[in-house]
Amino acid sequence: MEKEKKTLLSGIQPSGDLHLGNYLGAIKNWKELCDQFDCYWFMADMHTITVRQEPAELRRRTLTQIATYIACGLDPEKNTIFVQSHVPAHAELGWVLDCYTMFGELSRMTQFKDKSARNADNINAGLFTYPCLMAADILLYQPDFVPVGEDQKQHVEICRDIANRFNHVYGEVFRVPEPYIPKTGARVMGLSAPENKMSKSVPEGCVFLMEKPEDIMRKFKRAVTDSDTERWVRYDPETKPGVSNLMSIYAAVTGKTYEDIEREFDGKGYGAFKPAVGEAVVELLRPIREETERLLADKAYLESVYRAGAEKASYAANKTLRKVYKKVGFLPR
Ligand code: TRP
């Protein structure tokens, strides 16, 4: 039977509060995907504990992340939204795939090398086998596409390798997914150091989605602009990275072109431009923040969303898991 819609799946770690870079770069474009694809979105909390977490904080961020996605337009009626740890099949298939992944190939993963360098006191086995769990996350749902950024491409590659290896031994058990390169959103740089991507680890240059308007305004007014001699608003990422970043944020928020923006601020200088970008961002985020707060006040609703999501996800996941268990020779329950 031909499926009417192709399936798309992505996991997002609740490892930090979501910010403007996450929104303009990715989340903003997700709400339209559900028209085209059968979408699964899950909070990858099992991946998050590969780095030590404050338990109450992890719980808070997981719930807030669900509320924020809904507030950003992911309709729970049209998307399957769930928490990874609520669907035991992830851990179960993860173990099986551990046994079909080689030590050597895991050793070559750049993220493992980076993360173990950064967390030298906690190079745990979970960090090492992370790609197997991620492969399980994906393969359980037989998706056609996995939207990922540049930094996660190697993980989709190894997932494809694992799936092909398994299929080669046991027949067509897994659909081998393609990475999906989403419509590129804006690449938002930090406000305090525009040479790096906006990141939660540099909070003074990072605008969080749940931040108060006055704090957002303060960050924009203090945004680093460029020390070139011309003091007007012109798009040139090479010589004017700070101003160009603000322009790309303003363009993404208002839909204006760079020429529109140059004309709008012609002769006005940075002093007028920075608060204007701040205002635009405040107005963009206001409904998202208010809706997220409203949802967080309605715990019963959020619970109903993630419970229904886990149930739907489990149904799909268990189908694949049963097949795998049978293939590898486990006695049926
Ligand atoms: N590793 C991904 C990240 O850090 C998160 C993730 C976990 C994921 N499981 C996934 C993404 C499955 C896509 C599909 O961003």
Side-chain angles (χ1 to χ4, degrees):
M1 197 180 70
E2 194 61 39
K3 284 198 302 174
E4 43 190 313
K5 271 187 186 177
K6 300 213 166 195
T7 301
L8 177 147
L9 164 138
S10 192
I12 314 94
Q13 288 201 47
S15 54
D17 290 321
L18 296 168
H19 57 72
L20 187 66
N22 301 133
Y23 182 75
L24 293 179
I27 306 171
K28 185 184 171 204
N29 298 321
W30 291 350
K31 58 174 179 284
E32 291 139 31
L33 291 173
C34 72
D35 297 328
Q36 212 181 329
F37 301 107
D38 187 12
C39 292
Y40 290 85
W41 309 98
F42 66 93
M43 313 306 126
D45 56 348
M46 292 165 71
H47 280 94
T48 304
I49 65 162
T50 53
V51 175
R52 286 286 166 273
Q53 302 293 322
E54 173 63 46
E57 264 297 289
L58 178 56
R59 249 187 299 278
R60 178 191 69 75
R61 286 196 310 261
T62 305
L63 198 65
T64 305
Q65 195 164 290
I66 296 172
T68 307
Y69 288 145
I70 300 172
C72 290
L74 288 190
D75 179 349
E77 301 289 323
K78 297 189 192 152
N79 294 268
T80 306
I81 301 172
F82 66 102
V83 179
Q84 183 185 26
S85 63
H86 293 180
V87 180
H90 290 247
E92 296 171 298
L93 182 61
W95 173 254
V96 175
L97 298 184
D98 280 351
C99 304
Y100 290 81
T101 310
M102 299 303 128
F103 188 90
E105 57 186 340
L106 290 175
S107 314
R108 287 191 291 274
M109 299 300 289
T110 44
Q111 183 172 294
F112 173 70
K113 290 191 257 177
D114 291 350
K115 284 200 181 170
S116 32
R118 270 187 279 132
N119 302 285
D121 54 344
N122 184 24
I123 307 178
N124 60 74
L127 207 54
F128 189 65
T129 60
Y130 182 114
C132 304
L133 180 60
M134 179 157 162
D137 297 339
I138 296 171
L139 299 176
L140 280 173
Y141 299 92
Q142 310 279 355
D144 301 278
F145 297 109
V146 182
V148 285
E150 202 49 50
D151 65 318
Q152 294 295 316
K153 268 202 193 140
Q154 198 186 19
H155 283 144
V156 178
E157 273 314 309
I158 196 174
C159 169
R160 290 167 53 88
D161 292 344
I162 297 169
N164 280 321
R165 179 176 307 142
F166 197 93
N167 286 349
H168 189 72
V169 180
Y170 299 107
E172 296 301 300
V173 178
F174 297 125
R175 173 175 284 124
V176 182
E178 303 284 336
Y180 176 82
I181 309 305
K183 192 164 69 179
T184 40
R187 185 173 148 85
V188 179
M189 313 306 278
L191 300 186
S192 56
E195 50 289 345
N196 295 315
K197 256 179 33 170
M198 184 174 279
S199 156
K200 61 180 190 281
S201 55
V202 187
E204 65 277 16
C206 180
V207 174
F208 295 97
L209 299 187
M210 296 302 285
E211 211 159 1
K212 291 204 285 294
E214 55 271 33
D215 294 333
I216 298 178
M217 287 305 293
R218 185 173 41 78
K219 287 181 180 176
F220 274 100
K221 285 183 189 157
R222 286 191 194 158
V224 167
T225 37
D226 308 295
S227 52
D228 55 340
T229 43
E230 81 175 33
R231 304 293 296 166
W232 61 82
V233 175
R234 187 170 60 79
Y235 190 77
D236 182 354
E238 286 296 312
T239 60
K240 297 164 80 78
V243 171
S244 301
N245 181 42
L246 293 175
M247 286 180 78
S248 99
I249 295 173
Y250 195 63
V253 174
T254 60
K256 291 176 184 168
T257 65
Y258 293 139
E259 294 87 81
D260 291 340
I261 300 169
E262 285 168 6
R263 222 170 300 122
E264 183 178 348
F265 292 96
D266 188 23
K268 292 193 186 135
Y270 301 161
F273 180 52
K274 293 201 278 186
V277 183
E279 297 282 359
V281 169
V282 164
E283 291 318 314
L284 169 79
L285 297 184
R286 187 188 303 283
I288 295 173
R289 189 190 71 244
E290 288 176 355
E291 181 64 1
T292 304
E293 279 165 355
R294 193 186 68 74
L295 290 165
L296 284 171
D298 190 352
K299 293 275 184 304
Y301 171 73
L302 286 177
E303 268 172 36
S304 74
V305 168
Y306 66 66
R307 286 205 184 124
E311 196 171 316
K312 220 177 129 208
S314 294
Y315 179 80
N318 286 332
K319 254 192 350 208
T320 302
L321 185 68
R322 271 197 305 275
K323 242 191 246 175
V324 168
Y325 273 15
K326 189 167 169 210
K327 292 288 189 187
V328 299
F330 290 167
L331 188 66
R333 273 188 245 193

